[in-house]
Amino acid sequence: MSTLKLISPIDGSVFVERPVASANDIDAALNAARAAQKDWARRPLEERVTLVLKGIETLIAMKDEVAVELAHMMGRPVRYGGEFGGVEERANYMASIAESALAPIEIEDSGKFTRYIAREPLGIVFVIAPWNYPYLTAVNTIAPALMAGNAVILKAATQTLLVGERFQQAFDKVGLPKGLFRNLALDHTSTETIISSGSVNFVNFTGSVEGGRAMERAAAGTFTPLGLELGGKDPGYVRADANVSAAAETLIDGAMYNSGQCCCGIE
């Protein structure tokens, strides 16, 4: 059995170690998710939104201890307090627009024809989250996916393994249907196996360009939709007529914000 080891940037020690989910564990999680999703999708939207927000509130209540975990896992200083202001703001925003965003699009109601586009859940959404903003990037997909009536499988980055467990703990505590949300400890091989199997209905990945290429290769021929937010090199451009002091201050902040661990960090 292979394991995932989270090496803390603080002192180079193993902070967390977890066994990689077995093939049987993965199959059981996917089967449970698919079974739970059907009933979940039949629930009223308001009920789904309310339960998801309760889960997020429960997660946010853990912020003091989670901020310490994050410092050990990916190095963000405790004084920053984690990411939970943004997590709460984004979850509440997605809840506020859920009814309009998921409403049918009316094409024609002329007496002769009634034509519309109905929005239906996809099924199982596979979320592969990065380590630099592990809660914020994950909630961007988890919250709307669940609100829309989908099941969610989460793979947190090895560098932030406890993030997935915290999401699981929060949703279990508020009574989200069993199997609807599942955190799995996965390596690259098991992640690619899930994608290539065609057993999930959407994959959302935030990470490296090479990681995105691996997702595309794994999904080839399955027609599984992919949502990819990939990193790159981000230069800073300073014009000749710029205020040099202000430009220097902005460039340094852009490079060092969040200890330099930012998707739009100046490199």
Side-chain angles (χ1 to χ4, degrees), residues 104-139:
I105 301 173
E106 185 178 296
I107 306 299
E108 179 181 357
D109 188 4
S110 63
K112 294 181 179 180
F113 294 99
T114 298
R115 297 189 297 157
Y116 62 93
I117 299 173
R119 301 183 189 273
E120 300 288 342
L122 293 167
I124 300 177
V125 175
F126 187 25
V127 181
I128 305 166
W131 53 266
N132 63 331
Y133 281 93
Y135 285 100
L136 197 60
T137 51
V139 83

mmCIF file of all heavy atoms in Angstrom, residues 104-139:
data_model
loop_
_atom_site.group_PDB
_atom_site.id
_atom_site.type_symbol
_atom_site.label_atom_id
_atom_site.label_comp_id
_atom_site.label_asym_id
_atom_site.label_seq_id
_atom_site.Cartn_x
_atom_site.Cartn_y
_atom_site.Cartn_z
ATOM 1 N N PRO A 104 -34.505 27.670 -15.667
ATOM 2 C CA PRO A 104 -34.552 27.364 -17.099
ATOM 3 C C PRO A 104 -34.432 28.639 -17.935
ATOM 4 O O PRO A 104 -34.844 29.718 -17.512
ATOM 5 C CB PRO A 104 -35.926 26.719 -17.280
ATOM 6 C CG PRO A 104 -36.320 26.240 -15.922
ATOM 7 C CD PRO A 104 -35.721 27.216 -14.963
ATOM 8 N N ILE A 105 -33.847 28.510 -19.112
ATOM 9 C CA ILE A 105 -33.741 29.625 -20.047
ATOM 10 C C ILE A 105 -34.897 29.503 -21.040
ATOM 11 O O ILE A 105 -34.971 28.554 -21.807
ATOM 12 C CB ILE A 105 -32.397 29.592 -20.796
ATOM 13 C CG1 ILE A 105 -31.231 29.671 -19.803
ATOM 14 C CG2 ILE A 105 -32.312 30.745 -21.803
ATOM 15 C CD1 ILE A 105 -29.876 29.475 -20.448
ATOM 16 N N GLU A 106 -35.796 30.469 -21.001
ATOM 17 C CA GLU A 106 -36.967 30.419 -21.887
ATOM 18 C C GLU A 106 -36.585 30.861 -23.297
ATOM 19 O O GLU A 106 -36.008 31.928 -23.488
ATOM 20 C CB GLU A 106 -38.079 31.315 -21.349
ATOM 21 C CG GLU A 106 -39.375 31.217 -22.160
ATOM 22 C CD GLU A 106 -40.489 32.057 -21.592
ATOM 23 O OE1 GLU A 106 -40.930 31.761 -20.453
ATOM 24 O OE2 GLU A 106 -40.912 33.013 -22.259
ATOM 25 N N ILE A 107 -36.895 30.048 -24.272
ATOM 26 C CA ILE A 107 -36.591 30.343 -25.667
ATOM 27 C C ILE A 107 -37.830 30.865 -26.393
ATOM 28 O O ILE A 107 -37.774 31.852 -27.121
ATOM 29 C CB ILE A 107 -36.066 29.094 -26.395
ATOM 30 C CG1 ILE A 107 -34.877 28.475 -25.650
ATOM 31 C CG2 ILE A 107 -35.694 29.429 -27.841
ATOM 32 C CD1 ILE A 107 -33.690 29.393 -25.512
ATOM 33 N N GLU A 108 -38.951 30.202 -26.140
ATOM 34 C CA GLU A 108 -40.197 30.606 -26.818
ATOM 35 C C GLU A 108 -41.391 30.138 -26.007
ATOM 36 O O GLU A 108 -41.426 29.007 -25.511
ATOM 37 C CB GLU A 108 -40.258 29.997 -28.218
ATOM 38 C CG GLU A 108 -41.527 30.351 -28.985
ATOM 39 C CD GLU A 108 -41.593 29.714 -30.359
ATOM 40 O OE1 GLU A 108 -40.621 29.038 -30.749
ATOM 41 O OE2 GLU A 108 -42.629 29.888 -31.032
ATOM 42 N N ASP A 109 -42.376 31.011 -25.878
ATOM 43 C CA ASP A 109 -43.664 30.654 -25.286
ATOM 44 C C ASP A 109 -44.710 31.424 -26.064
ATOM 45 O O ASP A 109 -45.220 32.461 -25.627
ATOM 46 C CB ASP A 109 -43.693 31.005 -23.802
ATOM 47 C CG ASP A 109 -44.939 30.460 -23.114
ATOM 48 O OD1 ASP A 109 -45.723 29.745 -23.774
ATOM 49 O OD2 ASP A 109 -45.131 30.753 -21.925
ATOM 50 N N SER A 110 -45.010 30.930 -27.265
ATOM 51 C CA SER A 110 -45.804 31.684 -28.237
ATOM 52 C C SER A 110 -47.250 31.211 -28.373
ATOM 53 O O SER A 110 -48.017 31.787 -29.137
ATOM 54 C CB SER A 110 -45.132 31.586 -29.615
ATOM 55 O OG SER A 110 -45.115 30.236 -30.051
ATOM 56 N N GLY A 111 -47.615 30.187 -27.653
ATOM 57 C CA GLY A 111 -48.925 29.593 -27.871
ATOM 58 C C GLY A 111 -48.830 28.407 -28.808
ATOM 59 O O GLY A 111 -49.622 27.463 -28.713
ATOM 60 N N LYS A 112 -47.888 28.476 -29.722
ATOM 61 C CA LYS A 112 -47.639 27.340 -30.614
ATOM 62 C C LYS A 112 -46.591 26.399 -30.021
ATOM 63 O O LYS A 112 -46.707 25.182 -30.134
ATOM 64 C CB LYS A 112 -47.157 27.839 -31.979
ATOM 65 C CG LYS A 112 -48.193 28.634 -32.755
ATOM 66 C CD LYS A 112 -47.628 29.054 -34.099
ATOM 67 C CE LYS A 112 -48.651 29.844 -34.907
ATOM 68 N NZ LYS A 112 -48.105 30.267 -36.224
ATOM 69 N N PHE A 113 -45.564 27.016 -29.439
ATOM 70 C CA PHE A 113 -44.483 26.222 -28.877
ATOM 71 C C PHE A 113 -44.079 26.779 -27.512
ATOM 72 O O PHE A 113 -44.137 27.989 -27.279
ATOM 73 C CB PHE A 113 -43.240 26.242 -29.779
ATOM 74 C CG PHE A 113 -43.433 25.574 -31.109
ATOM 75 C CD1 PHE A 113 -43.708 26.338 -32.238
ATOM 76 C CD2 PHE A 113 -43.348 24.202 -31.232
ATOM 77 C CE1 PHE A 113 -43.896 25.740 -33.461
ATOM 78 C CE2 PHE A 113 -43.525 23.593 -32.456
ATOM 79 C CZ PHE A 113 -43.794 24.359 -33.580
ATOM 80 N N THR A 114 -43.682 25.869 -26.647
ATOM 81 C CA THR A 114 -42.995 26.242 -25.423
ATOM 82 C C THR A 114 -41.622 25.590 -25.486
ATOM 83 O O THR A 114 -41.509 24.365 -25.477
ATOM 84 C CB THR A 114 -43.739 25.754 -24.168
ATOM 85 O OG1 THR A 114 -45.033 26.366 -24.130
ATOM 86 C CG2 THR A 114 -42.973 26.110 -22.900
ATOM 87 N N ARG A 115 -40.618 26.425 -25.625
ATOM 88 C CA ARG A 115 -39.257 25.910 -25.739
ATOM 89 C C ARG A 115 -38.384 26.542 -24.667
ATOM 90 O O ARG A 115 -38.444 27.753 -24.456
ATOM 91 C CB ARG A 115 -38.677 26.208 -27.126
ATOM 92 C CG ARG A 115 -39.427 25.532 -28.271
ATOM 93 C CD ARG A 115 -38.667 25.696 -29.574
ATOM 94 N NE ARG A 115 -38.552 27.110 -29.958
ATOM 95 C CZ ARG A 115 -37.608 27.576 -30.771
ATOM 96 N NH1 ARG A 115 -36.669 26.768 -31.233
ATOM 97 N NH2 ARG A 115 -37.580 28.859 -31.100
ATOM 98 N N TYR A 116 -37.598 25.718 -24.024
ATOM 99 C CA TYR A 116 -36.722 26.224 -22.976
ATOM 100 C C TYR A 116 -35.540 25.279 -22.806
ATOM 101 O O TYR A 116 -35.573 24.117 -23.238
ATOM 102 C CB TYR A 116 -37.470 26.367 -21.649
ATOM 103 C CG TYR A 116 -38.006 25.070 -21.091
ATOM 104 C CD1 TYR A 116 -37.263 24.316 -20.181
ATOM 105 C CD2 TYR A 116 -39.252 24.593 -21.484
ATOM 106 C CE1 TYR A 116 -37.752 23.129 -19.682
ATOM 107 C CE2 TYR A 116 -39.754 23.396 -20.994
ATOM 108 C CZ TYR A 116 -39.001 22.663 -20.085
ATOM 109 O OH TYR A 116 -39.479 21.470 -19.604
ATOM 110 N N ILE A 117 -34.497 25.810 -22.203
ATOM 111 C CA ILE A 117 -33.329 25.008 -21.853
ATOM 112 C C ILE A 117 -33.362 24.780 -20.349
ATOM 113 O O ILE A 117 -33.303 25.729 -19.567
ATOM 114 C CB ILE A 117 -32.022 25.711 -22.255
ATOM 115 C CG1 ILE A 117 -31.987 25.933 -23.771
ATOM 116 C CG2 ILE A 117 -30.812 24.890 -21.810
ATOM 117 C CD1 ILE A 117 -30.809 26.770 -24.220
ATOM 118 N N ALA A 118 -33.496 23.520 -19.948
ATOM 119 C CA ALA A 118 -33.524 23.179 -18.524
ATOM 120 C C ALA A 118 -32.108 22.887 -18.042
ATOM 121 O O ALA A 118 -31.303 22.297 -18.762
ATOM 122 C CB ALA A 118 -34.411 21.963 -18.293
ATOM 123 N N ARG A 119 -31.808 23.317 -16.851
ATOM 124 C CA ARG A 119 -30.493 23.056 -16.264
ATOM 125 C C ARG A 119 -30.609 21.841 -15.343
ATOM 126 O O ARG A 119 -31.367 21.854 -14.370
ATOM 127 C CB ARG A 119 -29.997 24.274 -15.500
ATOM 128 C CG ARG A 119 -29.875 25.529 -16.370
ATOM 129 C CD ARG A 119 -29.302 26.670 -15.547
ATOM 130 N NE ARG A 119 -29.352 27.936 -16.253
ATOM 131 C CZ ARG A 119 -28.410 28.380 -17.078
ATOM 132 N NH1 ARG A 119 -27.349 27.642 -17.319
ATOM 133 N NH2 ARG A 119 -28.518 29.557 -17.662
ATOM 134 N N GLU A 120 -29.865 20.808 -15.660
ATOM 135 C CA GLU A 120 -29.892 19.569 -14.900
ATOM 136 C C GLU A 120 -28.519 19.313 -14.268
ATOM 137 O O GLU A 120 -27.485 19.688 -14.837
ATOM 138 C CB GLU A 120 -30.256 18.386 -15.811
ATOM 139 C CG GLU A 120 -31.614 18.499 -16.486
ATOM 140 C CD GLU A 120 -32.757 18.306 -15.510
ATOM 141 O OE1 GLU A 120 -32.514 17.761 -14.409
ATOM 142 O OE2 GLU A 120 -33.888 18.710 -15.836
ATOM 143 N N PRO A 121 -28.491 18.655 -13.101
ATOM 144 C CA PRO A 121 -27.197 18.308 -12.503
ATOM 145 C C PRO A 121 -26.401 17.393 -13.431
ATOM 146 O O PRO A 121 -26.975 16.605 -14.188
ATOM 147 C CB PRO A 121 -27.578 17.569 -11.214
ATOM 148 C CG PRO A 121 -28.997 17.961 -10.943
ATOM 149 C CD PRO A 121 -29.626 18.214 -12.269
ATOM 150 N N LEU A 122 -25.088 17.492 -13.357
ATOM 151 C CA LEU A 122 -24.226 16.640 -14.169
ATOM 152 C C LEU A 122 -24.138 15.227 -13.620
ATOM 153 O O LEU A 122 -24.090 14.257 -14.372
ATOM 154 C CB LEU A 122 -22.817 17.249 -14.236
ATOM 155 C CG LEU A 122 -22.686 18.568 -14.995
ATOM 156 C CD1 LEU A 122 -21.338 19.207 -14.711
ATOM 157 C CD2 LEU A 122 -22.864 18.335 -16.480
ATOM 158 N N GLY A 123 -24.082 15.100 -12.293
ATOM 159 C CA GLY A 123 -23.920 13.790 -11.663
ATOM 160 C C GLY A 123 -22.846 13.863 -10.597
ATOM 161 O O GLY A 123 -23.073 14.383 -9.511
ATOM 162 N N ILE A 124 -21.647 13.361 -10.912
ATOM 163 C CA ILE A 124 -20.521 13.408 -9.974
ATOM 164 C C ILE A 124 -19.488 14.409 -10.477
ATOM 165 O O ILE A 124 -19.017 14.297 -11.611
ATOM 166 C CB ILE A 124 -19.853 12.026 -9.813
ATOM 167 C CG1 ILE A 124 -20.858 10.993 -9.280
ATOM 168 C CG2 ILE A 124 -18.655 12.117 -8.863
ATOM 169 C CD1 ILE A 124 -20.277 9.586 -9.164
ATOM 170 N N VAL A 125 -19.154 15.366 -9.645
ATOM 171 C CA VAL A 125 -18.133 16.358 -9.960
ATOM 172 C C VAL A 125 -16.866 16.005 -9.180
ATOM 173 O O VAL A 125 -16.897 15.867 -7.954
ATOM 174 C CB VAL A 125 -18.607 17.778 -9.603
ATOM 175 C CG1 VAL A 125 -17.492 18.793 -9.821
ATOM 176 C CG2 VAL A 125 -19.840 18.147 -10.440
ATOM 177 N N PHE A 126 -15.776 15.854 -9.899
ATOM 178 C CA PHE A 126 -14.480 15.499 -9.310
ATOM 179 C C PHE A 126 -13.646 16.770 -9.189
ATOM 180 O O PHE A 126 -13.288 17.393 -10.189
ATOM 181 C CB PHE A 126 -13.796 14.476 -10.222
ATOM 182 C CG PHE A 126 -12.518 13.885 -9.678
ATOM 183 C CD1 PHE A 126 -12.245 13.826 -8.321
ATOM 184 C CD2 PHE A 126 -11.581 13.345 -10.555
ATOM 185 C CE1 PHE A 126 -11.072 13.271 -7.836
ATOM 186 C CE2 PHE A 126 -10.407 12.776 -10.093
ATOM 187 C CZ PHE A 126 -10.153 12.735 -8.729
ATOM 188 N N VAL A 127 -13.359 17.172 -7.946
ATOM 189 C CA VAL A 127 -12.636 18.415 -7.677
ATOM 190 C C VAL A 127 -11.208 18.081 -7.263
ATOM 191 O O VAL A 127 -10.981 17.350 -6.296
ATOM 192 C CB VAL A 127 -13.319 19.224 -6.556
ATOM 193 C CG1 VAL A 127 -12.565 20.528 -6.306
ATOM 194 C CG2 VAL A 127 -14.771 19.508 -6.913
ATOM 195 N N ILE A 128 -10.242 18.628 -8.008
ATOM 196 C CA ILE A 128 -8.822 18.424 -7.712
ATOM 197 C C ILE A 128 -8.254 19.793 -7.364
ATOM 198 O O ILE A 128 -8.059 20.648 -8.224
ATOM 199 C CB ILE A 128 -8.096 17.810 -8.914
ATOM 200 C CG1 ILE A 128 -8.798 16.509 -9.330
ATOM 201 C CG2 ILE A 128 -6.636 17.551 -8.593
ATOM 202 C CD1 ILE A 128 -8.394 15.999 -10.691
ATOM 203 N N ALA A 129 -8.048 20.015 -6.066
ATOM 204 C CA ALA A 129 -7.725 21.357 -5.562
ATOM 205 C C ALA A 129 -6.231 21.531 -5.343
ATOM 206 O O ALA A 129 -5.523 20.571 -5.003
ATOM 207 C CB ALA A 129 -8.476 21.615 -4.256
ATOM 208 N N PRO A 130 -5.718 22.744 -5.498
ATOM 209 C CA PRO A 130 -4.301 23.024 -5.279
ATOM 210 C C PRO A 130 -4.007 23.301 -3.810
ATOM 211 O O PRO A 130 -4.917 23.341 -2.975
ATOM 212 C CB PRO A 130 -4.068 24.272 -6.127
ATOM 213 C CG PRO A 130 -5.362 25.012 -5.997
ATOM 214 C CD PRO A 130 -6.431 23.955 -5.958
ATOM 215 N N TRP A 131 -2.728 23.538 -3.511
ATOM 216 C CA TRP A 131 -2.323 23.710 -2.124
ATOM 217 C C TRP A 131 -2.145 25.165 -1.719
ATOM 218 O O TRP A 131 -2.046 25.459 -0.528
ATOM 219 C CB TRP A 131 -1.001 22.968 -1.871
ATOM 220 C CG TRP A 131 0.084 23.329 -2.833
ATOM 221 C CD1 TRP A 131 0.400 22.672 -3.993
ATOM 222 C CD2 TRP A 131 0.973 24.439 -2.751
ATOM 223 N NE1 TRP A 131 1.436 23.306 -4.632
ATOM 224 C CE2 TRP A 131 1.817 24.402 -3.894
ATOM 225 C CE3 TRP A 131 1.163 25.475 -1.831
ATOM 226 C CZ2 TRP A 131 2.810 25.343 -4.134
ATOM 227 C CZ3 TRP A 131 2.154 26.417 -2.072
ATOM 228 C CH2 TRP A 131 2.968 26.344 -3.209
ATOM 229 N N ASN A 132 -2.092 26.106 -2.653
ATOM 230 C CA ASN A 132 -1.751 27.474 -2.246
ATOM 231 C C ASN A 132 -2.933 28.211 -1.612
ATOM 232 O O ASN A 132 -2.760 28.995 -0.689
ATOM 233 C CB ASN A 132 -1.169 28.264 -3.422
ATOM 234 C CG ASN A 132 -2.144 28.435 -4.563
ATOM 235 O OD1 ASN A 132 -3.020 27.600 -4.765
ATOM 236 N ND2 ASN A 132 -1.984 29.498 -5.332
ATOM 237 N N TYR A 133 -4.133 27.971 -2.123
ATOM 238 C CA TYR A 133 -5.370 28.448 -1.487
ATOM 239 C C TYR A 133 -6.328 27.269 -1.448
ATOM 240 O O TYR A 133 -7.325 27.237 -2.168
ATOM 241 C CB TYR A 133 -5.976 29.620 -2.263
ATOM 242 C CG TYR A 133 -5.301 30.938 -2.000
ATOM 243 C CD1 TYR A 133 -4.265 31.385 -2.810
ATOM 244 C CD2 TYR A 133 -5.683 31.733 -0.918
ATOM 245 C CE1 TYR A 133 -3.630 32.592 -2.562
ATOM 246 C CE2 TYR A 133 -5.053 32.934 -0.663
ATOM 247 C CZ TYR A 133 -4.026 33.357 -1.488
ATOM 248 O OH TYR A 133 -3.393 34.550 -1.232
ATOM 249 N N PRO A 134 -6.047 26.280 -0.633
ATOM 250 C CA PRO A 134 -6.760 25.003 -0.737
ATOM 251 C C PRO A 134 -8.245 25.066 -0.390
ATOM 252 O O PRO A 134 -9.041 24.334 -0.974
ATOM 253 C CB PRO A 134 -6.003 24.097 0.236
ATOM 254 C CG PRO A 134 -5.364 25.039 1.216
ATOM 255 C CD PRO A 134 -5.008 26.251 0.411
ATOM 256 N N TYR A 135 -8.611 25.937 0.543
ATOM 257 C CA TYR A 135 -10.034 26.050 0.892
ATOM 258 C C TYR A 135 -10.780 26.917 -0.116
ATOM 259 O O TYR A 135 -11.884 26.577 -0.555
ATOM 260 C CB TYR A 135 -10.194 26.636 2.300
ATOM 261 C CG TYR A 135 -9.864 25.651 3.392
ATOM 262 C CD1 TYR A 135 -8.626 25.686 4.031
ATOM 263 C CD2 TYR A 135 -10.770 24.679 3.784
ATOM 264 C CE1 TYR A 135 -8.305 24.777 5.032
ATOM 265 C CE2 TYR A 135 -10.470 23.768 4.787
ATOM 266 C CZ TYR A 135 -9.230 23.818 5.398
ATOM 267 O OH TYR A 135 -8.922 22.907 6.380
ATOM 268 N N LEU A 136 -10.189 28.028 -0.471
ATOM 269 C CA LEU A 136 -10.853 28.982 -1.352
ATOM 270 C C LEU A 136 -11.084 28.394 -2.738
ATOM 271 O O LEU A 136 -12.180 28.508 -3.302
ATOM 272 C CB LEU A 136 -10.001 30.250 -1.445
ATOM 273 C CG LEU A 136 -10.675 31.506 -1.982
ATOM 274 C CD1 LEU A 136 -11.859 31.903 -1.113
ATOM 275 C CD2 LEU A 136 -9.665 32.655 -2.044
ATOM 276 N N THR A 137 -10.055 27.762 -3.306
ATOM 277 C CA THR A 137 -10.211 27.189 -4.644
ATOM 278 C C THR A 137 -11.164 25.997 -4.623
ATOM 279 O O THR A 137 -11.924 25.800 -5.571
ATOM 280 C CB THR A 137 -8.857 26.760 -5.213
ATOM 281 O OG1 THR A 137 -8.183 25.936 -4.261
ATOM 282 C CG2 THR A 137 -7.995 27.961 -5.540
ATOM 283 N N ALA A 138 -11.126 25.220 -3.558
ATOM 284 C CA ALA A 138 -12.027 24.060 -3.480
ATOM 285 C C ALA A 138 -13.488 24.487 -3.360
ATOM 286 O O ALA A 138 -14.370 23.931 -4.023
ATOM 287 C CB ALA A 138 -11.635 23.173 -2.298
ATOM 288 N N VAL A 139 -13.757 25.482 -2.504
ATOM 289 C CA VAL A 139 -15.149 25.895 -2.305
ATOM 290 C C VAL A 139 -15.742 26.501 -3.571
ATOM 291 O O VAL A 139 -16.959 26.469 -3.781
ATOM 292 C CB VAL A 139 -15.270 26.874 -1.115
ATOM 293 C CG1 VAL A 139 -14.946 28.321 -1.516
ATOM 294 C CG2 VAL A 139 -16.657 26.802 -0.480
#
